Amino acid sequence: MIIGDVYFPRKGDAQQACRDLLYRYPPGSVIDDPSDEAFLHDLLELHQDAAGKRGVGIDHFEVRLTEEFHQPGFFIIRVDGTVTDFSFLRCLTPATHRDRVLTAMRRAVKDQVVAFKQEALAEDGTAVCAITDAVVTAADIHVDHHDPDFLALAQDYAAEHGGFEAFGIVNGDGVIGAEFADPATRDAWAEHHRDSAQLQITSVQANLSLRRRRRHPGSDRPETPRE
């Protein structure tokens, strides 16, 4: 793999170089080393929406905490003052359109998942795992889709509406991933999810165990991990 004029024997080596650069700067820092800045310009060229990320032009790069995951990430500050972030993993392994639609689908129903979790918590901040019956704290809780799981629900919905390719997707500023281009499409999917999804509270350990066991028609991979 080549990023600019830097050759990496393996993709993993390129990923590690990106992580090393990311964690050299504490959140809130401007990436001011010229070689690091040049590397990020070259890295961004590999992004499937590089032009959209650049916008009117890049003033500089920063490391900030991402709003969604609260983890350090690369941010672009454009010459007009607008800001967006980008995932170095997406630069090194661009997502398929199907992957991007699934990301948009998860993002569109995130408020439903968060609300379900909040409603399940007792006054002391605990809940009961639906799989093990163990009492778990808020920090150890996952919300799981079951009967059907999320991927099956999303795939069936997509099939009924022309397939994944029928959904328009855009990259939003400050958002790593994708969103529906049409708000009406987003709202229709969210309403379907509200009517059809079966959610349950699980512990982190039980949820991961479920993911390892799950397989889906036409796929030899586990369910797409949560965002």
Side-chain angles (χ1 to χ4, degrees), residues 138-160:
D140 192 40
I141 286 175
H142 275 186
V143 177
D144 178 62
H145 289 74
H146 71 105
D147 193 29
D149 61 40
F150 180 84
L151 187 56
L153 183 67
Q155 287 181 155
D156 289 347
Y157 184 84
E160 292 169 1

Side-chain angles (χ1 to χ4, degrees), residues 11 23 37 68 118 142 214:
K11 183 188 294 184
Y23 287 99
E37 188 174 7
E68 186 168 4
Q118 293 302 318
H142 275 186
R214 283 175 178 161

Side-chain angles (χ1 to χ4, degrees), residues 70-145:
H70 303 289
Q71 297 291 328
F74 292 123
F75 281 72
I76 297 168
I77 289 73
R78 302 189 183 101
V79 295
D80 63 356
T82 57
V83 178
T84 191
D85 53 3
F86 70 99
S87 167
F88 70 81
L89 293 175
R90 288 306 186 201
C91 295
L92 302 179
T93 307
T96 66
H97 185 75
R98 174 182 178 278
D99 291 337
R100 299 177 72 216
V101 173
L102 287 170
T103 295
M105 293 174 107
R106 285 197 180 279
R107 180 165 287 120
V109 301
K110 183 179 179 181
D111 60 335
Q112 297 178 34
V113 173
V114 171
F116 181 84
K117 176 179 178 179
Q118 293 302 318
E119 291 172 3
L121 291 174
E123 290 185 4
D124 63 356
T126 65
V128 176
C129 174
I131 298 172
T132 66
D133 289 330
V135 175
V136 291
T137 64
D140 192 40
I141 286 175
H142 275 186
V143 177
D144 178 62
H145 289 74

